[in-house]
Amino acid sequence: MMKRKLNAILFMAIALALGALFYANSIFPKNFEAYFKPQFYNQFGPIAICIELFIAGIYLFKGHKKSNFTLALFAFTAVLDPIFDLAGLFTSNVPVYATIILLGCSFWALYLAFSNTYNLGKISVPELIISFVLGTIIELSFNYYYQFL
């Protein structure tokens, strides 16, 4: 139980630190109409990844039965960001140092989710598919869809 809570606190601390850095680097325009342009919301993609990691950390800390699902959701979102960037779908807004940190967290989260290390309930195949699809939608919604508007 202590290892589970330590992992959860580590995930939440990383999410808060990176989320604060990403928020501090956000640009808020002075004119009102710029808030309604899709390009404005593109900068919040990295913050969304941090929010997913923080929520996964909270669930893991509490020992919630959906911890493995939220860990997988975060991990797929974090892994798909550099994959889509390398594939040329978009240019990622996540800095390289943060990408490395988030990839490390995502691989650890995938290990915890699929090995059911803390006996919080095995992740089922439908949950796996849903977490992958949701992670893809979240990633693409902040980085790719706005190009078509």
Side-chain angles (χ1 to χ4, degrees):
M1 179 154 117
M2 189 59 145
K3 287 183 181 180
R4 175 178 53 87
K5 289 188 176 188
L6 185 63
N7 277 324
I9 290 170
L10 185 64
F11 281 157
M12 290 187 291
I14 290 171
L16 284 175
L18 288 177
L21 283 172
F22 296 149
Y23 183 77
N25 291 331
S26 297
I27 298 169
F28 296 96
K30 300 213 186 290
N31 59 347
F32 187 68
E33 64 189 29
Y35 286 97
F36 296 102
K37 295 189 178 188
Q39 293 84 356
F40 170 71
Y41 298 102
N42 186 23
Q43 66 184 343
F44 296 111
I47 295 173
I49 295 172
C50 291
I51 291 171
E52 287 179 3
L53 178 59
F54 189 78
I55 291 171
I58 290 173
Y59 276 179
L60 188 60
F61 188 83
K62 290 182 176 183
H64 195 273
K65 65 179 183 172
K66 292 295 181 184
S67 298
N68 290 335
F69 173 77
T70 57
L71 287 169
L73 176 62
F74 154 73
F76 287 132
T77 305
V79 167
L80 288 172
D81 186 71
I83 289 174
F84 288 158
D85 185 32
L86 289 172
L89 286 177
F90 57 81
T91 302
S92 176
N93 287 335
V94 181
V96 175
Y97 69 90
T99 300
I100 293 168
I101 293 170
L102 290 173
L103 280 176
C105 289
S106 66
F107 291 139
W108 184 246
L110 282 175
Y111 171 75
L112 292 176
F114 291 125
S115 67
N116 195 21
T117 305
Y118 301 118
N119 296 322
L120 297 172
K122 287 192 169 213
I123 190 166
S124 65
V125 173
E127 288 177 327
L128 169 71
I129 293 169
I130 290 170
S131 64
F132 180 77
V133 169
L134 282 175
T136 304
I137 290 170
I138 291 168
E139 189 57 38
L140 290 177
S141 67
F142 281 103
N143 294 302
Y144 189 65
Y145 293 140
Y146 80 91
Q147 295 174 359
F148 299 110
L149 297 176

